[in-house]
Amino acid sequence: KLRSFEKTASGDSQHIHKDQAEEAVSSNKEIILHEDETVPRGEKMELMGNRQGLEEDAHAMKTQDNRVHQNNLKQLCRICGVSFKTDCSKRTYPVHGPVDDETLWLLRKKEKTATSWPDLIAKVFKIDVRGDVDTIHPTRFCHNCWSIIHRKFSNTLCEVYFPRNSTMEWQPHSPNCDVCHTTRRGVKRKSQPSSVQRGKRVKTTGERAQLNRGVENQHLKQAQINNKNLMKEIVNCKDMHLSTKLLAVDYPVDFIKSISCQICDHILADPVETTCRHLFCRTCILKCIRVMGSYCPSCWYPCFPTDLVTPVKSFLNILDNLNIRCPVKECDEEISHGKYGQHLSGHKEMKEGELYSYINKGGRPRQHLLSLTRRAQKHRLRELKHQVKAFAEKEEGGDIKAVCMTLFLLALRAKNEHKQADELEAIMQGRGSGLHPAVCLAIRINTFLSCSQYHKMYRTVKAVTGRQIFQPLHALRTAEKALLPGYHPFEWKPPLKNVSTNTEVGIIDGLSGLPLSIDDYPVDTIAKRFRYDAALVCALKDMEEEILEGMKAKNLDDYLNGPFTVVVKESCDGMGDVSEKHGSGPAVPEKAVRFSFTVMNISIAHGNESKRIFEEVKPNSELCCKPLCLMLADESDHETLTAILSPLIAEREAMKNSELLLEMGGILRTFRFVFRGTGYDEKLLREVEGLEASGSTYICTLCDATRQEASQNLVFHSITRSHAENLERYEIWRSNPYHESVDELRDRVKGVSAKPFIETVPSIDALHCDIGNATEFYRIFQMEIGELYKNPDVSKEERKRWQLTLDKHLRKKMNLKPMLKMSGNFARKLMSKETVEAVCELIKSEERHEALKELMDLYLKMKPVWRSSCPAKECPELLCQYSFNSQRFAELLSTKFKYRYEGKITNYFHKTLAHVPEIIERDGSIGAWASEGNESGNKLFRRFRKMNARQSKVYEMEDVL
């Protein structure tokens, strides 16, 4: 039937549903339609329209009702249901989220790990609020419940009371919703009586708490008087636990009470702490709870076995260090409480031996179990073994090991041997008492221990302590595999040309990948290297955390897969004489070359801009300078150098035109590489770029200027050379297409005399620039001492005498010892104002004093610009003044020091004066792209070769790499 709400002719209204009656109060029509009646189409549509309108009104009212219900929930406490309007403190706290500062301070003081409200509410009130819905549950709780949480973790008792089983049960909204009907009066808890009962006065929360506390204190006193003896009978531990009368020192009564169990009055054995801060023996409190109920025996506060925690370590240390007298007769020894179990076990072994010999008096003495052979032990324990096996198969899924270790653990706990029990528990949980193999590897490397030295230490520690604290060498080698290239899988798209797709490639021979024929130059060297792409993947995986953190810092999504652009600095340098040891093997040069790379920065294309997510903070540290190839060869040996580095350069060229696919953070990401060869000194740069040696007429590796042109125009030059241009000039030099003479051809190719085989970036190496300029100042000091500006014709003996005078004076004044070859440290100490002041003491002319001091002052203003990693941030003023300072420096060289720089200038002086601003404008820095990290790595090479490598030269380079 379809019903409307119109009165009948008699005026009697029809029966209407309660919910529909409220929505249709104003209706005064009623039409009853039976299934067999015919209704005109127009009237039927009107009735359906009325019905649809009623449904929309009902939905609107239901939505509004839910909204009112949700607003009412915001005024109630989630835990106890009390209304915030009646709460005196007016302070509320969110149910979800981190704890407030006061609670966080308390938790840290008590050495607790919880930091969020859901964890604390679950622990204190046994309420899980993680699955709350805001349409059913309130989202905040009151200050009274907050105080109860503090009572659990603080020493003082708060003036609050929260009766057991008084938490609130929340139901979804309904027509008979208690929340909406009683919001003004407060919500009732499960066991809380109604606020108004038979006209009685409503008791406040404080009054109820005070009344309940009074009752609780009465019960507590009565329980303490009546149940003390009962509890002692329940635990019955006088034969297991130690009496306080055994203490070797007469301690104060209050102190003895603090270290004794509140049930048995014995010294605490395996102490535990309740939520109300009382201390008991573990076995005593568990027995009392099982017999008398889940309450604290001291204060009758609710207490469950899951609430028991171990006291803080400082209290346990005090307890273990107490001196007690041994209770065994004829033993007057005083031992610490922590070692009592170990001491008592010695007495038990003696007693058992006496018992065995007494029982078997007429026959063979029964031997102790531990003194038997393994076969005899199996025979004696066969019945127990069968029982344990049957129990394990029935209860623990056949895990016999877990059952036996648990039995052993319980036996140790029962004997108070908690230290051994803790170690066993750590082994059972997989933590173990030894160091991780990776930690042992780090110890071995950082202390420069050889394999044999580490093995001796490992055996000694194991023999002395009886425990395997350090891991054996084979475990270290296994851990090392995960840290070396060739461990992580990766893929190139498209695949690298002439490079294997196998990614499990570790240390390989330096000549692998070089096509050899019978007529080739014989390579007499030992070289070891990583494959370039595998080494780059290893470096990126080491930096995985930094990359993901950089993306988060730039507000980028973690799931972005790239492409990432990785900028790599390449460095190569000879190490000179490294003859440290002489093992068996082929006779090879005792000079070494080290090729390395450094990941300088990583950026990602996001939208229309590129965001830098990683930048190396210390680009010149040996820690970020990854070795790629080590060879025992002379850097001047062009044929050997090209033979070893050519396969490596071929891999580098192949990687330029491909993308790396590597899993990082669980997502397959794409990487592109940009290689910048900047870490080369002048000598090696000319070698790999096919230029003439340093003494060439063509003075610069960045421009085409000759020495004569550079001395006449000291400042104004621009960078013109490039790797591609050098290749073209080599082809002209090789083919001589214009049939020119040697001098004409040499002038055309601007000093290119060999084929360039490594692409480098035209730049200045800051370290070698510093050394080269310091060497030149060292010569100027000598010439000023000998007054060469007055008499240019001087013999070699006279010049030698000037040098000896300068060395002696610098050693006396500056503590600078003379060196055959200028080093970086010597150069840094030499280039200072103090050194100039000391040198001026040997120069008579005041005019020359001023000129020399001004020259040094200008140099010290220019030096930070090309030595700092980011001059725009570290020395912006000096960067702006660089052009002026360089012109003034050049003016002094051409006037005051004309005797030295007329028609000539050194290579590094030319680069310092002419090309520094242009390079900084292009790259942003010169110092960051220096070879200093590779030079620092050279020291590690010597140290590892001396201490860590095997004697055989076949494996020597492999160990060092």
Side-chain angles (χ1 to χ4, degrees):
K1 296 179 181 180
L2 293 173
R3 293 186 178 182
S4 67
F5 307 120
E6 180 182 271
K7 290 184 179 180
T8 58
S10 62
D12 296 333
S13 60
Q14 299 293 327
H15 177 69
I16 303 171
H17 191 272
K18 180 181 178 181
D19 295 342
Q20 295 175 345
E22 293 177 0
E23 297 173 352
V25 174
S26 60
S27 300
N28 58 359
K29 296 180 180 179
E30 179 179 346
I31 302 174
I32 302 175
L33 300 174
H34 299 278
E35 292 179 357
D36 55 347
E37 290 182 351
T38 304
V39 181
R41 181 178 179 81
E43 294 182 11
K44 186 179 289 187
M45 294 296 292
E46 183 179 355
L47 290 171
M48 292 176 67
N50 290 340
R51 183 180 180 182
Q52 186 175 1
L54 290 171
E55 290 178 352
E56 291 177 356
D57 293 343
H59 179 70
M61 284 203 66
K62 187 175 181 181
T63 304
Q64 184 178 358
D65 204 16
N66 288 336
R67 202 173 293 147
V68 171
H69 175 75
Q70 204 163 345
N71 289 334
N72 291 337
L73 286 175
K74 294 179 180 178
Q75 304 299 322
L76 301 177
C77 173
R78 167 66 179 89
I79 301 170
C80 64
V82 72
S83 175
F84 296 147
K85 294 179 180 179
T86 61
D87 191 5
C88 300
S89 64
K90 303 295 182 184
R91 291 168 63 184
T92 62
Y93 306 88
V95 171
H96 302 280
V99 300
D100 58 339
D101 293 341
E102 187 175 350
T103 309
L104 183 62
W105 176 83
L106 179 63
L107 292 173
R108 286 179 178 173
K109 181 182 176 184
K110 301 301 177 184
E111 300 178 358
K112 304 297 180 183
T113 57
T115 57
S116 63
W117 286 123
D119 294 338
L120 295 181
I121 292 172
K123 188 171 183 64
V124 177
F125 299 103
K126 306 295 184 284
I127 300 175
D128 185 11
V129 299
R130 297 184 188 276
D132 281 9
V133 182
D134 59 354
T135 57
I136 300 175
H137 305 89
T139 57
R140 302 183 75 83
F141 63 94
C142 64
H143 186 68
N144 188 41
C145 297
W146 178 89
S147 302
I148 293 171
I149 295 174
H150 270 241
R151 175 182 178 178
K152 181 172 179 68
F153 297 106
S154 62
N155 293 326
T156 58
L157 294 176
C158 301
E159 294 193 7
V160 292
Y161 182 76
F162 194 87
R164 181 161 169 74
N165 298 326
S166 300
T167 54
M168 185 68 191
E169 285 188 355
W170 302 96
Q171 303 294 338
H173 181 59
S174 64
N176 298 322
C177 178
D178 290 337
V179 173
C180 297
H181 291 170
T182 61
T183 301
R184 295 181 180 178
R185 300 193 303 269
V187 182
K188 293 188 289 184
R189 292 193 291 266
K190 281 193 293 188
S191 60
Q192 181 182 347
S194 176
S195 299
V196 181
Q197 294 181 351
R198 302 178 184 179
K200 291 183 180 180
R201 183 177 67 85
V202 181
K203 293 181 180 179
T204 63
T205 305
E207 291 173 344
R208 289 200 303 272
Q210 188 174 0
L211 181 61
N212 289 327
R213 277 200 307 276
V215 175
E216 184 183 11
N217 290 335
Q218 291 177 6
H219 285 303
L220 179 62
K221 292 176 182 177
Q222 188 175 358
Q224 288 176 343
I225 296 171
N226 298 336
N227 296 336
K228 189 75 174 179
N229 295 331
L230 177 62
M231 287 188 293
K232 286 186 178 181
E233 291 179 5
I234 290 172
V235 297
N236 191 22
C237 61
K238 61 182 180 180
D239 294 332
M240 294 191 309
H241 297 163
L242 297 173
S243 171
T244 54
K245 296 178 181 178
L246 295 174
L247 289 170
V249 181
D250 188 13
Y251 291 108
V253 177
D254 291 337
F255 178 77
I256 294 175
K257 187 176 181 181
S258 66
I259 61 163
S260 58
C261 175
Q262 300 294 310
I263 297 174
C264 64
D265 292 334
H266 296 144
I267 299 175
L268 286 165
D270 191 10
V272 291
E273 184 180 351
T274 62
T275 53
C276 50
R277 311 290 294 170
H278 291 114
L279 293 169
F280 303 94
C281 304
R282 186 183 294 272
T283 55
C284 296
I285 182 69
L286 290 176
K287 287 180 181 178
C288 282
I289 288 176
R290 187 165 62 247
V291 175
M292 304 183 67
S294 300
Y295 295 96
C296 171
S298 291
C299 65
W300 222 244
Y301 189 80
C303 176
F304 300 89
T306 54
D307 295 336
L308 302 177
V309 295
T310 305
V312 292
K313 291 182 179 179
S314 55
F315 176 79
L316 295 178
N317 292 337
I318 294 172
L319 190 63
D320 289 342
N321 290 328
L322 292 174
N323 287 336
I324 58 175
R325 292 188 299 273
C326 180
V328 179
K329 293 182 179 179
E330 299 179 0
C331 179
D332 299 329
E333 190 175 350
E334 291 185 4
I335 65 268
S336 62
H337 182 253
K339 296 180 180 179
Y340 171 72
Q342 186 178 356
H343 174 77
L344 188 63
S345 62
H347 287 302
K348 287 184 177 179
E349 289 177 5
M350 293 170 59
K351 187 176 180 181
E352 286 169 0
E354 292 171 2
L355 288 174
Y356 287 138
S357 60
Y358 177 77
I359 292 172
N360 297 278
K361 197 170 184 180
R364 183 182 177 187
R366 182 179 175 86
Q367 292 182 336
H368 191 268
L369 182 66
L370 295 177
S371 64
L372 298 175
T373 62
R374 187 172 299 177
R375 184 176 178 181
Q377 287 174 340
K378 287 181 180 180
H379 180 74
R380 185 179 292 184
L381 297 176
R382 65 184 183 278
E383 292 296 332
L384 178 62
K385 180 181 177 183
H386 293 323
Q387 293 176 12
V388 171
K389 185 177 181 181
F391 174 82
E393 289 176 352
K394 182 180 178 182
E395 302 289 343
E396 300 298 330
D399 193 353
I400 300 176
K401 180 182 176 182
V403 174
C404 294
M405 293 186 78
T406 307
L407 283 171
F408 185 32
L409 185 67
L410 293 174
L412 290 174
R413 296 281 188 205
K415 284 186 171 184
N416 290 331
E417 296 176 6
H418 300 294
K419 188 173 182 181
Q420 293 183 28
D422 291 339
E423 292 178 3
L424 177 62
E425 202 166 12
I427 295 172
M428 291 172 64
Q429 294 173 359
R431 290 182 280 117
S433 58
L435 297 172
H436 193 274
V439 177
C440 297
L441 178 64
I443 292 172
R444 185 178 87 79
I445 299 300
N446 288 326
T447 54
F448 295 101
L449 290 176
S450 65
C451 291
S452 58
Q453 288 171 330
Y454 174 82
H455 186 63
K456 289 176 185 175
M457 180 184 72
Y458 159 74
R459 287 191 306 175
T460 305
V461 172
K462 187 175 180 181
V464 171
T465 63
R467 292 187 299 166
Q468 187 169 304
I469 298 174
F470 292 100
Q471 302 303 319
L473 276 172
H474 66 82
L476 270 64
R477 293 195 180 100
T478 304
E480 194 175 24
K481 290 178 183 177
L483 304 173
L484 287 176
Y487 180 77
H488 303 285
F490 58 91
E491 184 183 352
W492 287 95
K493 191 175 181 181
L496 297 183
K497 186 178 180 182
N498 297 328
V499 178
S500 171
T501 56
N502 181 24
T503 61
E504 296 180 4
V505 181
I507 298 176
I508 58 179
D509 184 42
L511 295 170
S512 63
L514 179 70
L516 296 175
S517 64
I518 298 174
D519 299 329
D520 279 346
Y521 179 83
V523 180
D524 188 15
T525 182
I526 292 177
K528 296 291 178 181
R529 72 178 181 95
F530 298 115
R531 211 172 75 188
Y532 207 157
D533 56 342
L536 285 171
V537 167
C538 182
L540 288 176
K541 290 297 287 184
D542 286 345
M543 298 160 55
E544 183 173 357
E545 291 184 8
E546 287 90 338
I547 293 173
L548 296 178
E549 287 176 3
M551 294 178 67
K552 189 182 294 184
K554 295 291 183 180
N555 297 321
L556 298 173
D557 295 322
D558 292 342
Y559 56 79
L560 287 178
N561 61 354
F564 295 86
T565 302
V566 183
V567 181
V568 178
K569 174 179 75 173
E570 294 177 328
S571 304
C572 186
D573 188 28
M575 281 182 266
D577 184 25
V578 291
S579 55
E580 294 282 357
K581 54 205 294 191
H582 306 282
S584 61
V588 294
E590 287 299 314
K591 292 186 176 182
V593 178
R594 184 179 193 264
F595 189 98
S596 62
F597 70 90
T598 303
V599 177
M600 295 294 288
N601 59 70
I602 302 175
S603 56
I604 183 173
H606 184 66
N608 298 325
E609 59 178 342
S610 177
K611 292 194 174 183
R612 185 167 292 183
I613 59 174
F614 170 79
E615 186 162 11
E616 183 56 58
V617 181
K618 296 181 178 179
N620 291 318
S621 169
E622 66 268 23
L623 299 178
C624 62
C625 184
K626 312 287 184 182
L628 188 62
C629 179
L630 298 176
M631 65 188 95
L632 289 173
D634 191 347
E635 61 179 325
S636 302
D637 188 351
H638 184 78
E639 287 76 13
T640 303
L641 202 63
T642 52
I644 294 173
L645 294 181
S646 290
L648 190 144
I649 299 305
E651 294 167 7
R652 172 192 195 253
E653 294 301 318
M655 286 188 287
K656 286 183 182 179
N657 304 317
S658 187
E659 291 184 344
L660 172 68
L661 301 179
L662 177 64
E663 184 178 327
M664 189 169 287
I667 298 175
L668 199 64
R669 305 180 196 264
T670 308
F671 295 87
R672 296 173 182 163
F673 293 93
V674 177
F675 299 96
R676 291 174 56 87
T678 58
Y680 298 86
D681 61 358
E682 175 100 4
K683 179 182 179 182
L684 196 59
L685 180 65
R686 289 177 176 272
E687 181 82 23
V688 300
E689 282 287 6
L691 301 176
E692 294 174 350
S694 301
S696 170
T697 306
Y698 296 95
I699 185 176
C700 188
T701 57
L702 291 87
C703 67
D704 298 335
T706 62
R707 200 172 297 273
Q708 183 69 31
E709 293 169 352
S711 64
Q712 293 172 357
N713 177 13
L714 291 171
V715 177
F716 301 105
H717 295 273
S718 60
I719 299 173
T720 57
R721 289 189 187 271
S722 67
H723 182 71
E725 186 185 45
N726 290 341
L727 284 170
E728 292 173 4
R729 287 176 172 176
Y730 169 72
E731 286 300 318
I732 295 174
W733 171 263
R734 186 183 61 82
S735 59
N736 192 9
Y738 305 106
H739 307 288
E740 297 169 310
S741 64
V742 175
D743 293 334
E744 291 172 337
L745 185 60
R746 184 164 173 262
D747 184 58
R748 180 180 290 278
V749 298
K750 304 297 181 184
V752 176
S753 60
K755 183 179 180 180
F757 69 97
I758 298 180
E759 181 182 357
T760 63
V761 177
S763 183
I764 303 173
D765 182 52
L767 174 65
H768 291 92
C769 185
D770 198 8
I771 294 173
N773 291 338
T775 305
E776 187 60 21
F777 265 90
Y778 186 64
R779 293 195 186 105
I780 292 175
F781 292 159
Q782 295 175 33
M783 295 174 185
E784 288 295 318
I785 292 171
E787 298 181 344
L788 191 66
Y789 59 91
K790 293 182 179 180
N791 182 20
D793 298 326
V794 183
S795 63
K796 287 185 179 180
E797 290 75 10
E798 190 69 17
R799 291 176 184 269
K800 188 68 177 176
R801 190 174 61 81
W802 299 343
Q803 183 180 354
L804 292 174
T805 304
L806 177 62
D807 288 342
K808 184 178 179 181
H809 194 68
L810 290 178
R811 186 164 193 165
K812 178 182 177 183
K813 293 288 184 179
M814 303 296 298
N815 197 23
L816 277 175
K817 299 177 182 178
M819 304 183 71
L820 292 176
K821 186 179 180 182
M822 181 77 67
S823 67
N825 290 331
F826 190 92
R828 275 187 282 274
K829 293 179 182 178
L830 185 71
M831 305 306 289
S832 63
K833 292 182 179 180
E834 293 79 9
T835 305
V836 175
E837 294 288 345
V839 171
C840 286
E841 295 177 5
L842 302 175
I843 302 172
K844 300 175 182 178
S845 174
E846 289 292 334
E847 184 182 354
R848 305 308 296 178
H849 288 184
E850 296 300 325
L852 200 56
K853 288 178 181 178
E854 185 180 3
L855 193 71
M856 179 62 78
D857 184 57
L858 290 169
Y859 181 81
L860 293 177
K861 288 179 180 178
M862 291 191 295
K863 178 182 172 181
V865 175
W866 45 266
R867 280 295 278 173
S868 59
S869 296
C870 187
K873 292 181 181 178
E874 297 175 25
C875 51
E877 293 183 358
L878 296 178
L879 179 61
C880 296
Q881 298 169 6
Y882 192 88
S883 296
F884 172 78
N885 290 334
S886 62
Q887 290 184 40
R888 177 57 186 158
F889 192 90
E891 185 181 341
L892 279 175
L893 292 183
S894 57
T895 55
K896 299 287 186 181
F897 301 90
K898 188 177 180 180
Y899 65 89
R900 170 71 176 163
Y901 299 103
E902 187 174 8
K904 58 182 179 180
I905 191 171
T906 62
N907 299 16
Y908 280 114
F909 263 8
H910 163 72
K911 291 178 180 180
T912 304
L913 296 173
H915 295 301
V916 167
E918 187 177 357
I919 297 173
I920 289 180
E921 186 177 357
R922 181 192 69 192
D923 299 337
S925 172
I926 293 176
W929 298 92
S931 66
E932 203 160 0
N934 195 58
E935 295 284 349
S936 301
N938 293 349
K939 293 184 290 185
L940 292 178
F941 176 93
R942 288 186 172 88
R943 188 72 182 268
F944 283 126
R945 185 167 186 243
K946 185 178 182 181
M947 300 293 296
N948 289 47
R950 283 171 277 187
Q951 293 287 338
S952 173
K953 289 185 179 178
V954 179
Y955 299 105
E956 187 178 37
M957 286 293 98
E958 185 174 329
D959 291 342
V960 175
L961 184 59

